[in-house]
Amino acid sequence: MPVNDLDPARLFPFPLDAFQQEAIAAINRGRSLVVSAPTGSGKTLIGEYAIHRALAHGRRVFYTTPLKALSNQKLRDFRAAFGPQRVGLLTGDLSVNREAPVVVMTTEIFRNMLYGQSELDDPLAGVEAVVLDECHYMNDSQRGTVWEESIIHCPGSVQLLALSATVANGEQLKDWIQQVHGSCALIHSVHRPVPLSYSFCSAKGLHPLLNGAGDGLHPSCRVWRSPKGHRRRGRSPKPPQPEAPRLGFVVQQLAERDMLPAIVFIFSRRGCDRGVGELARMDLLPPAQQQHLAERLERFSQQMPDGVRGDGHADALLRGVASHHAGVLPAWKELIEELFQGGLLRVVLATETLAAGINMPARSTVIWALSKRTETGHRPLMASEFLQMAGRAGRRGLDREGHVVTVQGRFEGVREAGQLATSPADPLVSQFTPSYSMVLNLLQRYSLSQARELVERSFGRYLASLGLVDEQQAIAQLAAQVETMDRELADVPWRDLDSYEKERAKLREEQRLLRTLQQQAAETVAHELTLALQFASQGTIITVKSPHLEPSPAAAVLVEKRPGPGQFPLLLCLTEGNVWLLLPCRDVVAFHGELSCLTVTPMVMPPLRQGGERRHGDGSSHGLALSVATMARRHDLRTARYDLAAEVQEQARRVAAQEKKLGGHPAHAWRDRKRLKQKRHRLETVQQELEDRRRRLNDRIGRHWRMVLSLMEILRHFACLKELEITPAGRVVSALRGDNELWLGLALLSGHLDHLPAPELAAAMEAVSTEVSRNDLWSAYPPPPLVMEALTSLRELGRELDRQQQRHGIATPIWWEPELTGLVTAWARGSSWDGLMAKTSLDEGDVVRVLRRTMDVLAQIPHCPGLNEPLRHNARRAHAALNRFPVREADAVVAEPVSTPDPDILR
């Protein structure tokens, strides 16, 4: 195509939207792009224009997608648009026309290319542009790092086109790409060529959800509330719940309003399959379409007899209903997608994976629930998840508007539906995660400082840096505050103050010990005194201690015993200060039986009745009180008996000595000690805050590099690195791709897999590279003895790797899953598909996914340097044994690969 024929009006048979025109203008200026626009708005057209432009320049384009199924779909679309010879495909185990000017591939394949390039072999030679379709997959917690790595390592000479659904921070993504790659423009659009209307379906029917402005609930919407007067009865009564409509009722409502075809999003495979059964009596197709569909199904069954799904799904297909989820065979899913796009299906019941980019627009989308089950329990849908599914409604050129229908559930209703329908999109976050293979590939090509610079170019580091200005200003202010306070307190003799505080602490401790010893002595003599007082006569001299006395203890004379509340009497005493007290026996702290009793003359007794009462004496008692005071001065009657204990007296001398020492300290006379202590406490508080902020800042900006250093330590432990040099073992690990490349490399280098037959090798690699997280996992095929012998030999190696990872804070999984090894061996030995599926609880799609993932690993082994030839040869045989339909890609059955997989690409 000549360059002057790139007029969009000639290339596309319809007028372009403003955002598409703006994007094309930016492409022609040579800028990279971030296109953020609603699902279904026509972002793919921008990628198609980039293809036309590159072809006109005689150059190439790589078009990346997050899913193999989406790659296959783009392959079909681009073959139709640009011709079969100009379009190729690269997936994990399939290479079709890979030298074509337009190559469709998964994003992982593109990332692997970048790591595999060298000065002698540049896989991006002649590439003008790379399209990163569905770039919002950066948010994916498992795979998002692939998009960041691809952008970081893509050469600046290549134009990047990042096509994303609507995100809240497209400007940030654009700025980051501009920072790490080159000039970049943001094309943002909220316009939908087919507008959406939102409805809500309850058991009473279908109603509008939003008001005319689209920013709140429709006036006719009513939030469900429990009926008044409801009373719970019985032992475990359930509160009333809103009535949820049946699936058949919802579909009937859509059919009556001409809102079909529809995709019904149900967040479980079983729910999708049950839904097919619930719609068994509904016939949604006219006879002519049923006949056409039956003919297509017959052709499919002749081409792929093992691909036809049983249990009534073929019959449902003829009535216009199908189920689409990860448990379905890929070939059957592709048939469903083809039929739906051709208008031969009216209702597809699907999990949310259908919204991830497969081009299957419908007139309506039904979102069956507003929460979903995850590994950590139920959670509400995120706004971007809701928008992604809602965006599948409305077919450009076919529908005036698309319909989004939410459904009343047991726990969510119109309020939650309205909140999601009016919520903005979620922002993109960074999922950048260094891996063993990444570290080794960086060190093979760059110095340590260059590797650090590349790692710190992640989107996560960029997002963290956006908040650094405010944080750094806060740190600077705290540092200045610390400096000012340091200057203000620089002349304070802190050693004297610290010394004084230590002496004060010693005094407090000595005083505490004195109180403890006094209490212990008091408990010792209390019983003796109580017994003695029962026999004491009137006029006996005693020492009493009471909070009502000043001073206390004080000398007193026993005047009278009165009945008490217990077995011991109350004592009426007159103190040396002429105060009458009525006391319990326990308040007497000394009994002076060695002194003569005083004569108590008749006098007026105060009417005291309760223990602790007191009354001042009068003239009649003054003489007796004076006699007590005289004896107290003569005989020291003001000391409690327990204070006379030797240990108490010794401790009292220590307290007195410490008080004297403290009184002579230089800081004792300072009047501002308290203020100085407060200022120092404030200084220490600010210093701690400054330290915490600096640490948090360092955590934010250095987290990924610290992880790289930890991975390097583990690699050194297993002899994959010697200082910064890659060892032969390290070269094996660097050539692998998986959840834990080091674990795969250690297993392959251990020698325990070297002589396994091909079927058993396939099974062993499945066990160390994949996980099936299903609670109901069951397989009637027992693990083969040879495989278990090899896996048992690897067990200790896996434990050592786990210990090292825990020590360094690395959470990369180490799979050791023998449950499906018998099934993998059976398939590799030629078992039929029906026979295989009869002996496992897994869905067909799950089995295909496990076998394909095993094939991905096996395909890498022949290209790993340093592995012995028998192992590489057996890996090729094992890969070929597994690569049978329906595990083999459907496209591979129709079009044989024209070349073998590229070693650098398929690693």
Side-chain angles (χ1 to χ4, degrees), residues 591-619:
F591 179 86
H592 305 287
E594 73 280 5
L595 301 178
S596 301
C597 294
L598 296 179
T599 301
V600 180
T601 58
M603 65 186 78
V604 179
M605 304 291 184
L608 305 180
R609 293 183 175 82
Q610 293 184 352
E613 284 190 79
R614 74 174 191 165
R615 186 75 56 83
H616 286 283
D618 53 17

Side-chain angles (χ1 to χ4, degrees), residues 299-555:
R299 290 199 304 274
F300 177 85
S301 62
Q302 289 176 359
Q303 289 176 341
M304 306 176 219
D306 286 337
V308 178
R309 194 174 185 204
D311 296 331
H313 286 275
D315 293 337
L317 204 67
L318 297 175
R319 289 181 283 100
V321 178
S323 174
H324 184 291
H325 54 71
V328 177
L329 278 178
W332 183 256
K333 283 198 295 186
E334 289 177 11
L335 175 66
I336 292 170
E337 293 160 14
E338 173 197 325
L339 295 175
F340 193 81
Q341 291 168 24
L344 294 177
L345 292 180
R346 306 299 285 168
V347 176
V348 170
L349 308 165
T351 54
E352 63 181 317
T353 54
L354 182 62
I358 301 298
N359 183 25
M360 274 184 63
R363 180 168 295 168
S364 302
T365 59
V366 179
I367 301 175
W368 194 254
L370 302 179
S371 64
K372 57 186 288 191
R373 185 186 299 276
T374 65
E375 293 179 356
T376 57
H378 266 90
R379 66 162 175 82
L381 289 182
M382 295 170 60
S384 291
E385 292 171 331
F386 183 87
L387 291 173
Q388 188 81 6
M389 289 182 283
R392 291 296 160 199
R395 300 166 297 175
R396 191 167 190 167
L398 294 176
D399 301 319
R400 291 184 178 179
E401 66 176 0
H403 304 279
V404 181
V405 180
T406 52
V407 181
Q408 174 71 60
R410 290 191 303 161
F411 305 109
E412 304 102 6
V414 68
R415 180 192 289 114
E416 292 79 9
Q419 289 172 347
L420 281 170
T422 56
S423 293
D426 298 312
L428 287 177
V429 296
S430 173
Q431 304 291 350
F432 184 76
T433 308
S435 67
Y436 293 109
S437 181
M438 178 198 297
V439 170
L440 291 167
N441 278 284
L442 286 174
L443 293 177
Q444 283 188 93
R445 299 170 58 194
Y446 304 103
S447 67
L448 189 64
S449 60
Q450 290 173 322
R452 179 170 187 170
E453 191 270 332
L454 285 168
V455 168
E456 293 184 345
R457 291 169 71 184
S458 73
F459 188 49
R461 171 65 184 267
Y462 168 78
L463 291 177
S465 70
L466 296 181
L468 294 186
V469 176
D470 292 341
E471 186 66 17
Q472 287 171 339
Q473 287 178 349
I475 289 174
Q477 290 172 357
L478 287 172
Q481 193 175 348
V482 168
E483 186 178 353
T484 300
M485 296 172 72
D486 274 336
R487 283 198 306 268
E488 181 183 344
L489 300 174
D491 296 331
V492 176
W494 292 112
R495 285 188 178 181
D496 287 347
L497 185 58
D498 290 340
S499 172
Y500 183 79
E501 291 301 320
K502 287 181 181 179
E503 297 302 330
R504 282 193 63 187
K506 287 181 182 179
L507 176 60
R508 287 193 293 270
E509 178 61 18
E510 298 292 0
Q511 290 171 334
R512 187 192 66 80
L513 287 173
L514 178 60
R515 290 192 296 271
T516 301
L517 291 171
Q518 287 174 331
Q519 183 179 357
Q520 291 172 349
E523 291 172 354
T524 302
V525 302
H527 183 63
E528 299 174 10
L529 290 173
T530 300
L531 292 176
L533 286 170
Q534 292 186 72
F535 301 101
S537 58
Q538 189 182 56
T540 300
I541 302 299
I542 57 177
T543 302
V544 296
K545 185 175 182 179
S546 171
H548 306 292
L549 283 177
E550 184 63 38
S552 179

Side-chain angles (χ1 to χ4, degrees), residues 660-723:
K660 182 178 180 181
K661 183 177 180 180
L662 197 64
H665 196 283
H668 187 67
W670 295 0
R671 295 183 177 181
D672 57 352
R673 286 198 311 271
K674 184 175 181 180
R675 183 178 60 84
L676 288 174
K677 287 169 59 180
Q678 289 173 341
K679 285 189 174 183
R680 183 162 70 172
H681 178 70
R682 171 62 182 158
L683 173 61
E684 291 171 348
T685 301
V686 175
Q687 287 174 329
Q688 185 62 50
E689 184 180 357
L690 178 61
E691 182 182 336
D692 291 344
R693 281 181 176 268
R694 282 174 170 164
R695 186 182 64 253
R696 288 197 299 269
L697 179 64
N698 186 53
D699 288 344
R700 287 175 64 183
I701 64 177
R703 177 170 59 92
H704 292 135
W705 183 245
R706 285 196 301 277
M707 186 174 180
V708 167
L709 295 177
S710 295
L711 292 170
M712 289 172 61
E713 287 299 317
I714 298 172
L715 288 166
R716 289 190 184 104
H717 179 82
F718 288 100
C720 295
L721 271 180
K722 187 175 183 181
E723 296 304 322

